[in-house]
């Protein structure tokens, strides 16, 4: 009896060793780690085929009116990246608000981190600031940074109406011999997300662009730079042709809809560079 017990004990001990030496990793350990990388969006403001020059160059719109540009600012937000298989990577909300300012070249290069690795063939973004963020209490962290209406670029550039319309989505200003204002200045300040205290215009525009013949590769070591051009000539020459003489100043009026419809068509992807 004693010998039988010893034999069984030895067998059990050896079996245990065998099981330990041949054990498979837990299934959870087989899960691929989530890998992320970085993508850059480079916004380049143009006038037709020319690079936009503030104040120093005169341009001509389709109405035959000359104009200069002294200021161009616009918000880009709610960015989504479209994968080759059609799935979508949504940039986390708090990391998805940017203010492009022509006078500040550093503002035109957006660096988006923690993007899921993969091959991307398109992009979607909003010109403006969405309604949820616009009605958020200004003291909340989500309304700080580039959306802080009391300090920083938004305040410096006066990109916020402190009343029902909220943020100015796009601001274009300059001078023209055709302007009917006393100082020869034209200005388009376009906003309106639907209203905070009462219903208003909604000039939010969602832009969808494909990467023509190219893909943006995101890996842990490869960074793609997507070069997006914004042709501001289309603000005048879009679906509705605008005349500076007829409309030298457009702010929060019904005609702001036509400006927003026009600038919704001004974006295109020029090229993608792999770094």
């Amino acid at each position: 009896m004693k010998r039988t017990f010893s034999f069984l004990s030895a067998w059990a001990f050896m079996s245990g060793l065998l099981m330990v030496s041949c054990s498979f990793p837990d299934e959870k350990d087989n899960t691929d780690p989530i890998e992320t990388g970085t993508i850059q969006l480079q916004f380049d403001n143009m006038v037709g085929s020319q690079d936009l020059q503030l104040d120093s160059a005169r341009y001509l719109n389709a109405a035959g009116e000359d104009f200069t540009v002294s200021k161009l600012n616009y918000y880009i937000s709610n960015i989504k990246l479209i994968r080759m298989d059609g799935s979508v990577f949504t940039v986390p909300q708090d990391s998805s608000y940017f203010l492009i300012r022509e006078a500040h070249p550093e503002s035109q290069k957006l660096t988006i981190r923690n993007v899921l690795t993969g091959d991307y063939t398109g992009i979607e973004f909003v010109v403006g600031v969405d309604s949820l963020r616009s009605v958020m209490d200004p003291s909340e962290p989500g309304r700080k940074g580039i959306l802080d209406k009391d300090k920083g670029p938004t305040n410096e550039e006066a990109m916020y109406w402190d009343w029902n319309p909220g943020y100015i989505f796009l601001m274009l200003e300059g001078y023209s011999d055709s302007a009917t204002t006393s100082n020869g200045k034209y200005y388009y300040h376009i906003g309106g997300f639907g209203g905070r205290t009462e219903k208003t215009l909604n000039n939010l525009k969602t832009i969808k662009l494909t990467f023509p013949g190219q893909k943006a590769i995101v890996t842990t070591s490869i960074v793609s730079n997507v070069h997006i051009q914004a042709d501001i000539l289309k603000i005048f020459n879009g679906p509705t042709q605008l005349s500076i003489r007829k409309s030298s100043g457009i702010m929060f009026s019904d005609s702001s809809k036509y400006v927003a419809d026009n600038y919704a068509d001004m974006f295109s992807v020029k090229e993608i560079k792999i770094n």
Side-chain angles (χ1 to χ4, degrees):
M1 185 67 181
K2 185 176 181 181
R3 289 183 61 187
T4 302
F5 176 79
S6 298
F7 172 77
L8 291 174
S9 298
W11 179 83
F13 176 73
M14 292 302 294
S15 297
L17 286 179
L18 189 61
M19 290 181 67
V20 169
S21 62
C22 295
S23 63
F24 292 97
D26 189 278
E27 281 189 5
K28 293 180 180 177
D29 294 334
N30 281 339
T31 303
D32 291 334
I34 296 175
E35 293 187 333
T36 61
T38 298
I39 192 168
Q40 293 176 332
L41 308 178
Q42 177 72 51
F43 283 80
D44 190 9
N45 298 316
M46 309 287 292
V47 184
S49 59
Q50 307 174 61
D51 190 48
L52 172 61
Q53 301 292 324
L54 292 179
D55 298 313
S56 60
R58 299 187 77 85
Y59 306 104
L60 201 66
N61 65 18
E65 301 166 329
D66 71 296
F67 67 95
T68 65
V69 176
S70 57
K71 179 178 285 190
L72 173 67
N73 301 327
Y74 53 88
Y75 286 99
I76 296 296
S77 69
N78 290 273
I79 299 169
K80 298 179 180 179
L81 298 167
I82 316 301
R83 274 188 162 133
M84 186 172 288
D85 63 4
S87 61
V88 176
F89 173 77
T90 301
V91 176
Q93 194 79 6
D94 286 340
S95 304
S96 203
Y97 294 90
F98 301 90
L99 178 57
I100 308 296
R101 295 185 289 167
E102 175 61 21
H104 297 265
E106 73 279 4
S107 72
Q108 299 159 34
K109 189 172 186 176
L110 318 186
T111 299
I112 302 174
R113 297 182 173 83
N114 301 318
V115 176
L116 288 179
T117 56
D119 295 340
Y120 292 89
T121 58
I123 187 171
E124 180 179 315
F125 57 84
V126 169
V127 179
V129 178
D130 55 273
S131 59
L132 290 178
R133 196 62 58 144
S134 294
V135 300
M136 182 181 290
D137 191 298
S139 65
E140 293 288 328
R143 287 282 301 274
K144 297 302 180 184
I146 200 63
L147 296 181
D148 194 326
K149 69 181 185 65
D150 298 317
K151 61 181 180 181
T154 294
N155 182 58
E156 295 163 7
E157 303 285 353
M159 293 294 290
Y160 189 80
W161 288 310
D162 210 359
W163 43 295
N164 201 30
Y167 293 93
I168 297 173
F169 302 158
L170 179 139
M171 179 179 288
L172 174 66
E173 297 180 351
Y175 293 87
S176 172
D177 291 337
S178 299
T180 56
T181 56
S182 58
N183 58 4
K185 186 176 181 179
Y186 74 90
Y187 53 89
Y188 296 158
H189 298 177
I190 310 301
F193 61 89
R196 179 170 49 233
T197 57
E198 59 185 57
K199 188 174 182 180
T200 70
L201 289 166
N202 186 341
N203 282 322
L204 287 165
K205 294 297 175 185
T206 299
I207 314 300
K208 298 180 180 179
L209 303 173
T210 56
F211 302 156
Q214 291 182 281
K215 59 185 179 182
I217 302 170
V218 178
T219 73
T220 55
S221 59
I222 296 176
V223 177
S224 291
N225 183 296
V226 181
H227 188 164
I228 298 174
Q229 290 186 328
D231 177 8
I232 68 161
L233 202 54
K234 293 187 176 180
I235 295 178
F236 301 101
N237 304 345
T240 299
Q241 182 175 307
L242 297 178
S243 165
I244 295 174
R245 184 178 305 279
K246 293 179 180 177
S247 302
S248 297
I250 299 178
M251 296 177 71
F252 201 68
S253 62
D254 290 344
S255 56
S256 66
K257 171 185 183 304
Y258 303 119
V259 183
D261 288 344
N262 282 359
Y263 66 61
D265 287 338
M266 75 177 183
F267 299 95
S268 62
V269 175
K270 179 184 179 184
E271 62 181 348
I272 298 172
K273 293 182 178 178
I274 308 296
N275 299 318

